[in-house]
Amino acid sequence: LAEEPRAVRIGSKSFTESVVLGELLSTLGRHAGATIDHRSELGGTQVLWQALQQGDIDAYVEYSGTLTEEILADPKLARLERIAEQLASQGIAMSKPLGFNNTYAIGMKQTQAEKRNITKISDLREHPELQIGFSDEFVDRKDGWRGLKAKYKLPHTKTRGLDHALAYRGVWGGSIDVIDLYATDPEIISYELRVLEDDLAYFPLYEAVILYRPELEVSHPAVVEQFLRLEGTMDNATMTSLNKSARIDHIPEDVVAAQFAHDHIDAS
Ligand code: PBE
């Protein structure tokens, strides 16, 4: 009896965009004829990276800045070619950028920012009274709160770790003044937030790339071929609008992904 080809396992982190991208990889993999197992919302960056290294998953979408700051912990690896080389030496393959930069940013309600005349992150220094609420991962990451506080010499001490979606509700409701944003979050527009200028250039680029185990090129070459069709197809406006469909219009992530694949890369 011929062995059934094994399922291709895709991972995603616990936030909407990552799930949409996981569904997109799943759609493309199925289009290539593979059986797909999407382990949705597995956890944060470290959980996904370890799952990929251990072979519990075959692929997921990561961000260049997250690779240099948090995973490889070598901020000097700014160029994508160098990141790819480092990953290759650890047995992981990386695609070219999908085309958008989902950087962290710091934001607050436009009305609040106007009232206090705050346009850039360094302006926060003069406002120790502001309530800060950061998403869980941002509180702990090397490219997160601690580094930001040090670089900008911010006086705030009481920071709360929150689920990212809850942080938005808090800032809208007024219980939190300042939060971390992801640049492709649709809430920035719908909740009328101001993105503060990163005037000391603290944040690196966070270009989305697909990470995958190179064995996939042997076991499922058609799947890899489909995955790589995503390279260069998604700019920030595109990703933001997919996130909006899921988060604001409540369309299920798999439907959002299938629609994009159908309309833009002729796969569904
Ligand atoms: N990011 C910003 C984070 C979350 C949002 C995309 C750089 C990450 O998952 O690495």
Side-chain angles (χ1 to χ4, degrees), residues 13-15 17-18 44-45 60-67 70-71 100-105 135 137-138 141 143 164 180-185 204-208:
K13 301 189 199 180
S14 305
F15 62 94
E17 173 172 298
S18 192
T45 296
Y60 80 100
V61 174
E62 192 46 278
Y63 302 89
S64 58
T66 303
L67 283 161
E70 179 72 1
I71 294 177
F100 65 93
N101 168 27
N102 186 5
T103 182
Y104 277 120
S135 53
E137 195 165 301
F138 190 77
R141 277 174 60 146
D143 51 346
H164 191 52
D180 61 301
L181 312 171
Y182 307 169
T184 52
D185 282 340
L205 277 175
Y206 293 87
E207 295 186 87

Coordinates of all heavy atoms in Angstrom, one line a residue, residues 13-15 17-18 44-45 60-67 70-71 100-105 135 137-138 141 143 164 180-185 204-208, ligand 1:
K13 N 0.3 32.8 14.9 CA 0.4 33.4 16.3 C -1.0 33.8 16.7 O -2.0 33.8 15.8 CB 1.3 34.6 16.3 CG 2.7 34.3 15.8 CD 3.6 35.6 16.1 CE 4.8 35.6 15.3 NZ 5.7 36.8 15.5
S14 N -1.2 34.2 18.0 CA -2.5 34.5 18.5 C -2.9 35.9 18.2 O -3.2 36.7 19.1 CB -2.5 34.3 20.0 OG -2.1 33.0 20.3
F15 N -2.9 36.3 16.9 CA -3.5 37.6 16.6 C -4.0 37.5 15.2 O -3.5 36.7 14.4 CB -2.6 38.8 16.8 CG -1.4 38.9 16.0 CD1 -1.3 39.6 14.8 CD2 -0.2 38.3 16.5 CE1 -0.2 39.7 14.1 CE2 1.0 38.4 15.7 CZ 1.0 39.1 14.5
E17 N -4.1 39.0 12.2 CA -3.3 39.0 10.9 C -2.6 37.7 10.8 O -2.5 37.1 9.6 CB -2.3 40.1 11.0 CG -1.3 40.1 9.8 CD -0.5 41.3 9.7 OE1 -1.0 42.4 9.6 OE2 0.8 41.2 9.9
S18 N -2.0 37.1 11.8 CA -1.2 35.9 11.7 C -2.2 34.8 11.3 O -1.8 33.9 10.5 CB -0.5 35.6 13.1 OG 0.4 34.6 12.9
G44 N 2.6 32.8 21.1 CA 3.4 34.0 20.6 C 4.6 33.6 19.8 O 4.7 32.4 19.4
T45 N 5.5 34.5 19.5 CA 6.6 34.3 18.7 C 7.5 33.1 19.1 O 7.8 32.3 18.2 CB 7.5 35.6 18.7 OG1 6.7 36.7 18.1 CG2 8.8 35.4 17.9
Y60 N 5.2 29.0 8.8 CA 4.3 30.1 9.3 C 4.9 31.5 8.8 O 6.0 31.5 8.3 CB 4.2 30.1 10.9 CG 5.4 30.7 11.7 CD1 5.3 31.9 12.2 CD2 6.5 29.9 11.9 CE1 6.3 32.5 13.0 CE2 7.6 30.4 12.6 CZ 7.5 31.7 13.2 OH 8.5 32.2 13.9
V61 N 4.2 32.5 9.0 CA 4.6 33.8 8.6 C 5.2 34.6 9.8 O 4.6 34.7 10.8 CB 3.5 34.7 8.0 CG1 3.9 36.1 7.6 CG2 3.0 34.0 6.7
E62 N 6.5 35.1 9.6 CA 7.2 35.8 10.6 C 7.5 37.2 10.0 O 7.3 37.5 8.9 CB 8.4 35.0 11.0 CG 9.1 35.4 12.3 CD 8.2 35.7 13.5 OE1 7.7 36.9 13.5 OE2 8.1 34.9 14.4
Y63 N 8.2 38.0 10.9 CA 8.5 39.4 10.5 C 10.0 39.6 10.6 O 10.6 39.2 11.6 CB 7.7 40.4 11.4 CG 6.2 40.1 11.3 CD1 5.5 39.2 12.1 CD2 5.4 40.8 10.3 CE1 4.2 39.0 12.0 CE2 4.1 40.6 10.2 CZ 3.4 39.7 11.0 OH 2.1 39.4 10.9
S64 N 10.6 40.4 9.7 CA 12.0 40.5 9.7 C 12.6 41.1 11.0 O 13.5 40.6 11.6 CB 12.5 41.3 8.5 OG 11.9 42.6 8.5
G65 N 11.9 42.1 11.5 CA 12.4 42.8 12.8 C 12.3 41.8 13.9 O 13.1 41.8 14.9
T66 N 11.3 41.0 13.9 CA 11.1 40.0 15.0 C 12.2 38.9 14.9 O 12.7 38.4 15.9 CB 9.7 39.3 14.8 OG1 8.7 40.3 14.9 CG2 9.4 38.3 15.9
L67 N 12.6 38.6 13.7 CA 13.7 37.7 13.5 C 15.0 38.2 14.0 O 15.7 37.6 14.8 CB 13.9 37.3 12.0 CG 12.8 36.3 11.5 CD1 12.7 36.3 10.0 CD2 13.2 34.9 12.0
E70 N 14.3 39.3 18.2 CA 13.7 38.4 19.2 C 14.2 37.0 18.9 O 14.4 36.2 19.9 CB 12.2 38.5 19.1 CG 11.4 37.6 20.0 CD 11.5 38.1 21.5 OE1 12.1 39.1 21.8 OE2 10.9 37.3 22.3
I71 N 14.3 36.6 17.7 CA 14.6 35.2 17.4 C 16.1 34.9 17.3 O 16.7 34.1 18.0 CB 13.8 34.7 16.2 CG1 12.3 34.7 16.5 CG2 14.3 33.3 15.7 CD1 11.4 34.3 15.3
F100 N 4.6 43.8 2.8 CA 4.1 44.9 3.8 C 5.0 44.8 5.0 O 5.7 43.9 5.3 CB 2.7 44.7 4.2 CG 2.4 43.4 4.9 CD1 2.3 43.3 6.3 CD2 2.1 42.2 4.2 CE1 2.1 42.1 7.0 CE2 1.8 41.0 4.9 CZ 1.8 41.0 6.3
N101 N 5.0 46.0 5.8 CA 5.8 46.2 6.9 C 4.9 46.4 8.1 O 4.4 47.5 8.3 CB 6.7 47.4 6.7 CG 7.4 47.9 8.0 OD1 7.7 47.1 8.9 ND2 7.7 49.2 8.1
N102 N 4.7 45.3 8.9 CA 3.8 45.5 10.1 C 4.6 45.8 11.3 O 4.8 45.0 12.2 CB 3.0 44.2 10.3 CG 2.0 44.4 11.4 OD1 1.8 45.5 12.0 ND2 1.3 43.3 11.8
T103 N 5.1 47.1 11.4 CA 5.9 47.5 12.5 C 5.1 47.7 13.7 O 3.9 48.0 13.6 CB 6.7 48.8 12.1 OG1 7.5 49.1 13.3 CG2 5.7 49.9 11.8
Y104 N 5.7 47.6 14.9 CA 5.1 48.1 16.1 C 5.1 49.6 16.0 O 6.0 50.2 15.3 CB 6.0 47.7 17.3 CG 5.8 46.4 17.9 CD1 6.9 45.5 17.9 CD2 4.6 46.0 18.4 CE1 6.7 44.2 18.5 CE2 4.4 44.7 19.0 CZ 5.5 43.9 19.0 OH 5.4 42.6 19.6
A105 N 4.2 50.2 16.6 CA 4.1 51.7 16.7 C 3.5 52.0 18.1 O 2.9 51.2 18.7 CB 3.3 52.3 15.6
S135 N 0.5 45.3 24.8 CA 0.1 43.9 24.6 C 1.2 43.0 25.2 O 2.4 43.4 25.4 CB 0.0 43.6 23.1 OG 1.1 44.0 22.4
E137 N 3.1 40.5 24.6 CA 4.4 40.2 24.1 C 5.3 41.4 24.1 O 6.5 41.4 24.3 CB 4.3 39.6 22.6 CG 5.5 39.0 22.1 CD 5.3 38.1 20.9 OE1 4.5 37.1 21.0 OE2 5.9 38.4 19.9
F138 N 4.7 42.6 23.8 CA 5.5 43.9 23.8 C 6.1 44.2 25.1 O 7.2 44.8 25.1 CB 4.5 45.0 23.3 CG 5.3 46.3 23.0 CD1 6.0 46.4 21.8 CD2 5.3 47.3 23.9 CE1 6.7 47.6 21.5 CE2 6.0 48.5 23.6 CZ 6.7 48.6 22.4
R141 N 9.4 41.7 25.1 CA 10.3 41.6 24.0 C 11.5 42.6 24.1 O 11.4 43.7 24.6 CB 9.6 41.8 22.7 CG 8.9 40.5 22.3 CD 8.0 40.7 21.1 NE 8.8 41.2 19.9 CZ 8.5 40.9 18.7 NH1 7.5 40.1 18.4 NH2 9.2 41.3 17.7
D143 N 12.7 44.1 21.6 CA 12.3 45.3 20.8 C 11.0 46.0 21.3 O 10.4 46.7 20.6 CB 12.2 44.9 19.3 CG 11.2 43.7 19.1 OD1 10.9 43.0 20.1 OD2 10.8 43.5 18.0
H164 N -4.0 42.1 22.9 CA -3.9 43.2 22.0 C -5.3 43.8 21.7 O -5.5 45.0 21.6 CB -3.2 42.8 20.7 CG -2.9 43.9 19.8 ND1 -2.1 45.0 20.2 CD2 -3.1 44.1 18.5 CE1 -2.0 45.8 19.2 NE2 -2.6 45.3 18.2
D180 N 0.6 50.0 22.4 CA 1.4 49.6 21.2 C 0.4 49.3 20.1 O -0.6 48.6 20.4 CB 2.4 48.5 21.5 CG 1.7 47.2 21.9 OD1 0.9 47.2 22.9 OD2 1.8 46.2 21.2
L181 N 0.7 49.6 18.9 CA -0.1 49.3 17.7 C 0.7 48.4 16.8 O 1.9 48.4 16.8 CB -0.4 50.6 16.9 CG -0.9 51.8 17.7 CD1 -0.9 53.0 16.8 CD2 -2.3 51.6 18.3
Y182 N 0.0 47.7 16.0 CA 0.7 47.0 14.9 C 0.2 47.8 13.6 O -1.0 48.2 13.5 CB 0.2 45.6 14.7 CG 0.2 44.7 15.9 CD1 -0.4 43.4 15.9 CD2 0.9 45.0 17.1 CE1 -0.3 42.6 17.0 CE2 1.0 44.2 18.2 CZ 0.4 42.9 18.1 OH 0.4 42.1 19.2
A183 N 1.2 48.2 12.8 CA 0.9 49.2 11.7 C -0.2 48.8 10.8 O -0.9 49.7 10.3 CB 2.2 49.4 10.9
T184 N -0.5 47.5 10.7 CA -1.6 47.1 9.8 C -2.9 46.8 10.5 O -3.8 46.2 9.9 CB -1.2 45.8 9.0 OG1 -0.8 44.8 10.0 CG2 -0.1 46.1 8.0
D185 N -3.0 47.3 11.7 CA -4.3 47.1 12.5 C -5.3 48.1 11.9 O -5.1 49.3 11.8 CB -4.1 47.5 14.0 CG -3.4 46.4 14.7 OD1 -3.4 45.2 14.3 OD2 -2.9 46.7 15.8
P204 N 12.7 48.7 14.2 CA 13.3 48.3 12.9 C 12.1 48.0 11.9 O 10.9 48.3 12.2 CB 14.0 47.0 13.2 CG 13.2 46.4 14.3 CD 12.6 47.6 15.1
L205 N 12.4 47.5 10.7 CA 11.4 47.1 9.7 C 10.9 45.7 10.2 O 11.7 44.9 10.6 CB 12.0 47.0 8.3 CG 12.2 48.2 7.5 CD1 12.9 47.8 6.2 CD2 10.8 48.8 7.1
Y206 N 9.6 45.5 10.0 CA 9.0 44.2 10.2 C 8.3 43.7 9.0 O 7.1 43.7 8.8 CB 8.0 44.3 11.4 CG 8.6 44.7 12.7 CD1 8.8 46.0 13.1 CD2 8.9 43.6 13.6 CE1 9.3 46.3 14.3 CE2 9.5 44.0 14.9 CZ 9.6 45.3 15.2 OH 10.2 45.6 16.4
E207 N 9.2 43.3 8.0 CA 8.6 42.8 6.7 C 8.2 41.4 6.9 O 8.9 40.5 7.4 CB 9.7 42.9 5.7 CG 10.1 44.4 5.4 CD 11.1 44.4 4.2 OE1 10.6 44.5 3.1 OE2 12.3 44.4 4.4
A208 N 7.0 41.1 6.4 CA 6.4 39.8 6.6 C 7.1 38.8 5.6 O 7.3 39.2 4.4 CB 4.9 39.8 6.3
Ligands
PBE1 N1 4.8 42.5 14.9 C1 4.0 43.6 15.3 C2 4.7 41.6 16.0 C3 3.3 41.7 16.4 C4 2.8 42.9 15.8 C5 4.2 42.0 13.7 C6 6.2 42.9 14.6 C7 5.1 40.1 15.8 O1 4.3 39.2 15.7 O2 6.3 39.9 15.7

